[in-house]
Amino acid sequence: MADAGRVSRGGAVRVGILLGAGTSVVSTVAIGQVWAVCDVGVDSAANSLTLLFLAPLFWIATAIPLAVLYGVVAGRHRRAALAAALLLAVCCAWFLVTWLGVLDSYPDPVCPGNVPPWWPEFVPAS
């Protein structure tokens, strides 16, 4: 008989896949917008190809820790596990955008400090 407090691997994997996909899409779009506004790269085609290559890597890199976190915490409390997984997804998206989108070494002809004007001031960008 299955334990009531136990979470199936399939449930944790589904949460990791779904939240990882969302994190990947949000991160890829945000990085593309930062690069477009701050005039980073050669042209939009090269940037799009780079992001197309990186998107599945973002998905894998975020889906695995999200699934593990959800699987571990959901055995005790499922709502807390979902909240923790959502918080981790937001942190992963922030990390990816600030690490790959806001380039410290790139000359900033358009955006001061390579931070786009639409970036919220209360969210650290570097």
Side-chain angles (χ1 to χ4, degrees):
M1 185 169 202
D3 186 13
R6 195 162 172 196
V7 176
S8 70
R9 282 189 201 155
V13 168
R14 276 191 298 272
V15 168
I17 288 173
L18 290 175
L19 285 178
T23 304
S24 174
V25 168
V26 167
S27 299
T28 304
V29 169
I31 290 170
Q33 289 297 317
V34 171
W35 287 356
V37 169
C38 294
D39 199 25
V40 172
V42 178
D43 60 7
S44 60
N47 290 349
S48 298
L49 187 60
T50 301
L51 291 173
L52 186 64
F53 173 73
L54 289 174
L57 298 176
F58 292 165
W59 189 8
I60 293 168
T62 56
I64 293 170
L66 287 167
V68 169
L69 175 70
Y70 183 82
V72 169
V73 178
R76 299 193 185 268
H77 199 275
R78 289 183 193 247
R79 287 186 184 165
L82 188 57
L86 285 170
L87 180 64
L88 180 62
V90 168
C91 290
C92 286
W94 169 81
F95 173 74
L96 289 170
V97 171
T98 58
W99 181 48
L100 293 172
V102 180
L103 303 172
D104 292 336
S105 63
Y106 197 80
D108 51 354
V110 180
C111 300
N114 290 317
V115 179
W118 53 263
W119 188 265
E121 289 185 19
F122 63 90
V123 178
S126 54

